[in-house]
Amino acid sequence: MVNEIFEYAPAPESRSIVKIEKEYGHYIAGKFVAPHSKKRFATINPATEEVLSKVAHGDATDIDKAVKAARSAFVKSWSKTKPKERAKYLFRIARILQERAREFAVLEALDNGKPIRETRDIDIPLAAAHFFYHAGWADKLEYAGLGQSPKPYGVVGQIIPWNFPLLMLSWKVAPALATGNTVVLKPAETTPLTALLFAQVCEQAGLPAGVVNIVTGDGKTGAALVNHPDIDKVAFTGSTEVGKLIAKSIAGRGIPATLELGGKGANIVFADAPIDEAVEGIINGIFFNQGHVCCAGSRLLLQESIADDFLGKLQDRMKKIRVGDPLDKNTDLGAINSGAQLAKIKELSQSGSSEGADIWSAPCELPKKGFWFPPTIFTGVTQAHRIAREEIFGPVLSVLTFRTPQEAMEKANNTPFGLSAGIWTEKGSKILWAAQQLKAGVIWANTFNKFDPASPFGGYKESGWGREGGRHGLAAYLKGSN
Amino acid sequence: MRLDVKKTYKLFIGGAFPRSESGRTYELKNKKGEFIANPALASRKDLRDAVVAAKSATTQWSSATAFNRGQILYRIAEMLESRSAQFIEEIVAQDGTSQSIARQEVAESIDLWVWYAGWCDKISTAAGGINPIAGPYYNFTIPEALGVVGVIAEEKPALLSLVRALAPVIASGNTAVVIASESRPLTSITLAEVLATSDLPAGVINILTGKKSELIPWLSSHMEVDGIDISGADPKTDAEIKISGSDNLKRIHRFDKEVSPNRILAFMEYKTVWHPIGI
Amino acid sequence: MVDLTTLEGADTPGKIRSLAAKAVRPDPTDSTVPHVGAICVYNDMVKIARTHLDQIGGVDIPVAAVATAFPSGRASIAVKLRDTQDAIDAGASEIDMVIDRGAFLAGQLGEVFSEIKAIKEVCADKAHLKVILETGELATYDNVRKASYLAMLAGADFIKTSTGKISPAATPSVVLVMLEAVRDFHKLTGKQIGVKPAGGIRTTKDAIKQLVLVNETAGPEWLTPELFRIGASALLNDLLLQRMKLKSGHYSSTNYVTVD
């Protein structure tokens, strides 16, 4: 990115706004407690590999304590709290998140590796909005079309991923609390810090002890939560692989689950698309959040008649993507969340090349420490390639072409996933026709990666069960509605 | 003994606090017959100006996102809460009731305002939707704000009756011209102070104190007003108001202390859109 | 890159002279501040501007004249041609013309095109031609793009957003659309056309945003007065104030910059 005429000065966001403790415990029954096993593990900044803090490892005993706390809170306080008071707790949480937004944005960028511009402008505001939106539902459930007086499940076990830590927390906790449930939340192994800071928000909002409990740990911790006999419902966002395991382990236990799993979204550009906007949309679709997005537009389905021109523009645009320090406000693409994820991305990219697709990466200087991958596209990809079928979860775009709209639909739907799709065309009737054909839970037309608490999100087929957001998302937490 | 600085109660129009252009006021006394204040006695010209202000605020307010409106309404609740003591004091002075009854009314009013704040970004979901017509067309219905809505506030309770009528009117994006309670006008102006400090755009709510019988005919016949909540008018004058309002087919409604999203929908219009599906 | 501008009905010889002085020496306390890119005036002020600039050491500063019945563009083609010729005869080496928005919105694109072509012929090799699209009146991004292409095909050396007389003027999104058109035109024909946002750019921050847009869209080659100008008046003082802050480390005051 050498430009002698106009070099942008670094614009670092200050870290001093957030105080990170040297170590954390679990947040159970309104207090931080030491882990039963006394074991803690490090959470690092993936951009520098610096250790940020040590968090507690949750075992079955910790999970049991948390579930008991959630049950007690449900029975003794939360189920007795009037809906309009529940609403006011959630409004408070939303407002405090807004007040402390910058603090959370910086912490999220440090722990996750994504750019500060994204945490500041997207993750944190959306998380606050999610609480604000669901606060308003708490005392209006009879208007949600889910029955005259829908009832909560009770104690909900929630497991969230590392790609949008605080946002995923809000997608889980806000509707659960609004509908009257209490929660045991297990944040992702590599990104626990904003969840732990969120415990402070619960304190500041005066939320009764035990309504929200946070147990940190790894996959085993999550399994312990899913398998606990006294939870009434499971909500999980993560890989399809683990989602299927969860489906197996709850089978026969009489408890439901919502699963928000993987995807291999097709971003479809027709010849009559608004080209410059489509280029931006494709770029955003795969490079936003380093491609660590379940609904990423990771397959570009490009109408063959405009392919060469379009790919040229795409590459020119990719050359302008700034990869680097997540805390620098100039940065577009941050670090890959972990060494493990980086290895996966590299392995799949390797397969792309070895299976015969053509690779091109934007030339950029990658920092020496930390986990990094340049924005990359593969052209000449077909549905038979692994990189067209498997979720890479990184900044890697697979480009396929199509001749006719029908062919585009066939290719787009030719996947066990069904989370998202994008449609780029100026023709309204074609948008609606394609939307009708596509087997995807979220369809973006002439835009991409747009989220709103009022808009239900979730996938078809192996992309999961159920929806989050909107009145449809409330159903997940109310008995008898699903 | 310290002398307190007494407040001047003026009108609230276009985000500012002007006196009545007529220069008139009326004497407000408490139940014991003691002087409390000289609230403004609004004229038809003040009402005219209020409608102008409300009309010019409609585009910005109705095109704000529902989320934004919800946040502003919630902010109003925050400001109401922080000024509860003032409201309680005024209710006690105007009504002669006890502190605890006044406190209850204020608490109920704030909670009701919060309830309506939470409706802003949900009303379309509850009342709109996709219509399954028999053909290859995408068809959806969406409720939209009317425009300028007049609110004739009930005489009492001072704060709760205002909140009951006003919050649902503006939640959807309408702007309002309020004719306040004649006997309990101070609360409406203190509410105006809350509105002025809550990020509510100027002109979204305008409040006139004065004689209902003088102002209502000008409101009901004004061709720029799209709807009126007449819950606070003398029921004997309902027919007269409706006749006067029929020239531009105003949407006129009376509610009997109702609390429901119907009060929001009563001042909205449904728009249905069709688009063919096909390549 | 700043085209220091005055376009008021009340412009007088005195006003033009003080504008010229500021153009040559924007900061009287700091001679390292370079002179402006050009000054932009009405065509009957060109002679005064040119003469005065030459007298005070501003020989290098071109005089740009607005022409073709600026700002409305509502006059016969004969008047517009004469307007342009007068300005060139008086010493203008840059012409900022307006397109006929009425003709554009009425669908008479051929007329819009031939007018630009005719003005370009008058300019010949004596003046470079900036074509003002008046994006605020064109109303949609599609129209802005269309008008940009039209102007470039008809011979514009620069495309310019606005007259500065109406709002909205040079918003970042409108400038982006024009830069994309310029970039695509360059790819197709090899010709580099300049871009001039004008109107609404009052602060240094606004100006930097424009520079970033140019850098990221058309490319760093466009970051030169030959291909990029900002039409402004208040901006210059803000640039000076920011410059002072960089040098001194504290915020400055309007007492330390001149009125022009």
Side-chain angles (χ1 to χ4, degrees):
Chain A
M1 208 129 315
V2 180
N3 174 350
E4 297 102 42
I5 298 176
F6 195 6
E7 260 189 60
Y8 304 142
E13 181 71 36
S14 164
R15 286 174 65 149
S16 61
I17 193 171
V18 65
K19 178 171 188 296
I20 306 178
E21 306 296 335
K22 279 213 171 61
E23 61 174 34
Y24 290 89
H26 302 302
Y27 180 65
I28 299 177
K31 290 203 300 286
F32 273 102
V33 298
H36 169 252
S37 65
K38 308 262 194 290
K39 279 187 1 193
R40 284 189 166 82
F41 60 98
T43 182
I44 62 168
N45 175 350
T48 60
E49 300 182 59
E50 152 209 1
V51 173
L52 294 169
S53 179
K54 289 199 137 96
V55 301
H57 183 268
D59 61 12
T61 307
D62 296 315
I63 291 288
D64 187 54
K65 218 192 287 186
V67 172
K68 286 195 162 69
R71 176 66 60 197
S72 169
F74 177 75
V75 169
K76 299 202 188 112
S77 64
W78 203 233
S79 63
K80 298 192 164 62
T81 305
K82 289 207 203 86
K84 70 170 182 172
E85 305 303 325
R86 273 205 317 262
K88 285 194 272 183
Y89 280 116
L90 290 166
F91 276 121
R92 280 184 183 182
I93 290 174
R95 297 295 272 177
I96 295 169
L97 275 176
Q98 287 176 327
E99 279 174 337
R100 299 178 68 171
R102 188 58 59 90
E103 198 184 333
F104 274 92
V106 170
L107 183 59
E108 194 81 292
L110 285 169
D111 202 17
N112 170 284
K114 64 170 86 189
I116 182 72
R117 261 183 23 236
E118 284 178 10
T119 57
R120 181 196 69 193
D121 294 345
I122 298 168
D123 287 58
I124 309 309
L126 269 178
H130 237 85
F131 276 100
F132 195 92
Y133 175 79
H134 284 93
W137 271 123
D139 53 2
K140 300 174 181 66
L141 294 176
E142 65 269 35
Y143 295 99
L146 300 169
Q148 280 283 53
S149 60
K151 300 270 176 287
Y153 280 99
V155 174
V156 184
Q158 303 182 318
I159 299 170
I160 55 177
W162 49 260
N163 59 346
F164 294 92
L166 188 73
L167 183 59
M168 293 297 100
L169 179 155
S170 72
W171 281 26
K172 295 282 180 287
V173 174
L177 263 46
T179 47
N181 299 281
T182 57
V183 159
V184 176
L185 178 85
K186 189 221 153 271
E189 193 177 339
T190 57
T191 55
L193 295 182
T194 44
L196 293 166
L197 189 63
F198 179 75
Q200 267 188 39
V201 173
C202 294
E203 296 291 294
Q204 288 185 340
L207 194 67
V211 173
V212 169
N213 304 277
I214 301 170
V215 178
T216 47
D218 57 15
K220 294 205 214 69
T221 319
L225 179 56
V226 170
N227 291 320
H228 195 287
D230 195 36
I231 55 168
D232 302 306
K233 190 214 149 73
V234 171
F236 170 81
T237 297
S239 70
T240 293
E241 188 192 330
V242 175
K244 291 180 183 176
L245 290 173
I246 291 177
K248 289 184 172 59
S249 58
I250 61 169
R253 284 167 57 192
I255 61 171
T258 37
L259 304 172
E260 206 274 277
L261 310 175
K264 193 70 185 179
N267 217 342
I268 306 160
V269 177
F270 289 98
D272 56 359
I275 300 295
D276 281 317
E277 285 164 55
V279 168
E280 283 303 313
I282 302 305
I283 295 286
N284 175 275
I286 187 57
F287 300 121
F288 167 66
N289 207 43
Q290 293 72 251
H292 302 322
V293 187
C294 45
C295 52
S298 49
R299 284 182 292 155
L300 166 57
L301 264 51
L302 189 49
Q303 192 146 25
E304 212 172 323
S305 53
I306 56 161
D308 288 335
D309 233 10
F310 194 88
L311 284 171
K313 286 196 160 192
L314 204 57
Q315 285 182 346
D316 284 343
R317 181 64 182 87
M318 282 168 70
K319 291 179 192 156
K320 305 242 163 56
I321 296 176
R322 307 175 74 83
V323 184
D325 178 9
L327 278 186
D328 188 324
K329 285 171 271 185
N330 288 322
T331 297
D332 297 318
L333 196 74
I336 304 300
N337 183 252
S338 65
Q341 189 57 34
L342 181 59
K344 279 203 194 107
I345 296 168
K346 284 184 169 161
E347 194 263 320
L348 272 160
S349 285
Q350 248 319 106
S351 83
S353 299
S354 61
E355 285 177 9
D358 298 309
I359 185 175
W360 184 85
S361 293
C364 53
E365 251 187 76
L366 299 178
K368 305 261 179 303
K369 298 212 80 180
F371 314 117
W372 303 91
F373 200 84
T376 299
I377 69 175
F378 280 95
T379 48
V381 180
T382 73
Q383 283 295 112
H385 287 113
R386 281 184 68 202
I387 55 172
R389 308 198 63 70
E390 294 174 43
E391 195 178 25
I392 302 175
F393 224 65
V396 180
L397 178 66
S398 302
V399 184
L400 301 83
T401 56
F402 65 90
R403 294 165 300 174
T404 63
Q406 291 89 338
E407 190 172 60
M409 298 299 107
E410 272 172 24
K411 291 191 176 183
N413 287 333
N414 178 226
T415 163
F417 293 117
L419 186 51
S420 69
I423 305 167
W424 297 86
T425 167
E426 294 271 48
K427 190 165 186 182
S429 60
K430 196 188 297 188
I431 291 173
L432 297 172
W433 174 85
Q436 225 176 33
Q437 313 293 320
L438 290 164
K439 295 269 174 279
V442 183
I443 297 175
W444 286 295
N446 291 328
T447 186
F448 209 87
N449 277 336
K450 287 280 172 273
F451 309 98
D452 191 284
S455 181
F457 184 93
Y460 284 40
K461 307 191 279 184
E462 290 187 23
S463 291
W465 291 338
R467 296 290 174 272
E468 294 180 288
R471 77 168 178 88
H472 304 82
L474 295 171
Y477 292 97
L478 293 166
K479 273 207 267 232
S481 42
N482 65 337
Chain B
M1 228 223 79
R2 187 188 169 272
L3 204 63
D4 48 295
V5 179
K6 289 200 169 295
K7 179 150 70 175
T8 311
Y9 289 84
K10 298 185 279 176
L11 305 172
F12 182 58
I13 300 177
F17 291 87
R19 296 178 199 272
S20 168
E21 63 79 39
S22 66
R24 304 173 309 172
T25 58
Y26 66 103
E27 211 179 359
L28 191 70
K29 296 204 173 100
N30 66 14
K31 286 280 165 353
K32 297 202 220 117
E34 296 160 333
F35 168 79
I36 311 179
N38 292 318
L41 187 68
S43 69
R44 68 169 172 87
K45 290 188 184 179
D46 298 314
L47 187 133
R48 170 202 65 189
D49 292 345
V51 174
V52 169
K55 178 72 182 177
S56 69
T58 48
T59 308
Q60 186 196 359
W61 186 238
S62 63
S63 61
T65 61
F67 175 49
N68 184 241
R69 280 198 298 274
Q71 292 212 78
I72 290 176
L73 262 76
Y74 186 77
R75 178 88 176 141
I76 291 171
E78 286 182 352
M79 296 292 105
L80 276 172
E81 184 82 60
S82 73
R83 280 176 177 250
S84 345
Q86 189 180 354
F87 281 104
I88 291 168
E89 202 183 296
E90 280 170 353
I91 290 170
V92 167
Q94 289 166 127
D95 271 349
T97 53
S98 69
Q99 282 267 339
S100 71
I101 292 181
R103 215 190 327 267
Q104 209 175 318
E105 184 194 332
V106 172
E108 207 183 319
S109 304
I110 296 172
D111 285 354
L112 186 58
W113 194 281
V114 171
W115 193 73
Y116 278 114
W119 266 115
C120 293
D121 54 5
K122 294 171 187 60
I123 193 72
S124 313
T125 301
I130 302 296
N131 306 311
I133 43 83
Y137 293 90
Y138 186 72
N139 177 303
F140 65 92
T141 295
I142 181 164
E144 288 186 350
L146 259 187
V148 176
V149 176
V151 171
I152 302 168
E154 298 166 83
E155 282 303 301
K156 62 184 171 115
L159 182 58
L160 187 58
S161 64
L162 266 175
V163 167
R164 248 193 321 242
L166 199 43
V169 161
I170 64 163
S172 60
N174 292 310
T175 58
V177 173
V178 180
I179 298 178
S181 160
E182 272 183 54
S183 54
R184 294 154 178 80
L186 306 185
T187 303
S188 67
I189 300 305
T190 303
L191 178 65
E193 291 167 17
V194 162
L195 300 174
T197 53
S198 298
D199 299 326
L200 186 71
V204 174
I205 297 177
N206 306 274
I207 300 176
L208 303 167
T209 53
K211 268 187 100 51
K212 283 179 173 171
S213 56
E214 180 184 344
L215 296 171
I216 289 176
W218 289 103
L219 180 69
S220 64
S221 62
H222 199 309
M223 301 293 266
E224 196 82 86
V225 171
D226 304 297
I228 312 181
D229 179 332
I230 58 171
S231 307
D234 176 354
K236 292 200 223 68
T237 62
D238 277 11
E240 194 180 310
I241 295 175
K242 288 182 176 175
I243 289 170
S244 158
S246 64
D247 284 334
N248 67 334
L249 290 182
K250 286 183 183 57
R251 283 71 165 133
I252 297 177
H253 301 280
R254 169 179 283 278
F255 299 99
D256 182 23
K257 303 183 198 336
E258 187 178 340
V259 167
S260 90
N262 292 333
R263 282 188 91 142
I264 304 176
L265 292 169
F267 296 109
M268 296 186 87
E269 287 295 314
Y270 291 106
K271 170 182 291 174
T272 299
V273 179
W274 297 63
H275 194 301
I277 300 176
I279 44 176
Chain C
M1 288 172 185
V2 174
D3 282 1
L4 192 59
T5 306
T6 182
L7 294 168
E8 293 167 19
D11 282 339
T12 62
K15 166 78 181 179
I16 301 302
R17 278 196 281 271
S18 59
L19 188 85
K22 180 140 178 127
V24 173
R25 203 164 13 259
D27 186 346
T29 71
D30 186 352
S31 58
T32 66
V33 175
H35 63 69
V36 301
I39 70 169
C40 186
V41 294
Y42 270 113
N43 89 351
D44 64 340
M45 293 287 146
V46 170
K47 186 149 187 225
I48 298 169
R50 183 74 269 153
T51 315
H52 197 64
L53 277 173
D54 291 344
Q55 283 170 355
I56 61 172
V59 160
D60 293 333
I61 304 178
V63 174
V66 293
T68 65
F70 179 98
S72 69
R74 298 254 64 82
S76 68
I77 182 70
V79 166
K80 293 183 184 183
L81 290 166
R82 184 59 203 266
D83 195 3
T84 309
Q85 190 65 58
D86 280 355
I88 294 177
D89 291 342
S93 53
E94 300 184 358
I95 296 291
D96 287 21
M97 70 167 284
V98 288
I99 63 167
D100 186 342
R101 282 89 69 197
F104 186 94
L105 294 172
Q108 291 150 358
L109 301 181
E111 239 180 74
V112 178
F113 181 89
S114 45
E115 232 174 60
I116 299 170
K117 200 148 172 281
I119 303 296
K120 176 70 181 172
E121 274 163 27
V122 173
C123 293
D125 56 351
K126 299 193 218 76
H128 92 188
L129 178 64
K130 299 196 197 83
V131 176
I132 302 173
L133 309 180
E134 195 65 317
T135 55
E137 282 178 354
L138 297 182
T140 69
Y141 296 129
D142 285 337
N143 277 352
V144 170
R145 214 194 190 99
K146 218 188 266 187
S148 301
Y149 263 99
L150 207 62
M152 291 189 286
L153 286 165
D157 297 303
F158 256 76
I159 50 175
K160 176 173 165 181
T161 60
S162 329
T163 61
K165 296 300 177 194
I166 64 163
S167 210
T171 61
S173 13
V174 133
V175 174
L176 176 64
V177 171
M178 290 169 67
L179 285 165
E180 285 172 346
V182 157
R183 172 199 68 195
D184 291 347
F185 191 77
H186 178 236
K187 208 155 180 199
L188 274 171
T189 66
K191 286 179 74 175
Q192 287 180 305
I193 309 293
V195 175
K196 177 173 168 177
I201 301 172
R202 284 183 200 89
T203 66
T204 305
K205 207 163 205 164
D206 294 333
I208 290 182
K209 285 182 190 166
Q210 300 285 342
L211 291 177
V212 171
L213 274 176
V214 173
N215 192 41
E216 298 286 309
T217 315
E221 279 176 34
W222 263 257
L223 290 173
T224 157
E226 273 76 58
L227 289 171
F228 185 70
R229 301 277 181 82
I230 298 179
S233 41
L235 174 64
L236 184 55
N237 276 347
D238 196 72
L239 289 172
L240 295 174
L241 288 171
Q242 297 310 318
R243 208 165 183 278
M244 287 174 195
K245 176 175 177 278
L246 279 176
K247 278 179 97 171
S248 67
H250 54 253
Y251 294 104
S252 191
S253 140
T254 52
N255 284 332
Y256 300 94
V257 291
T258 63
V259 296
D260 42 46

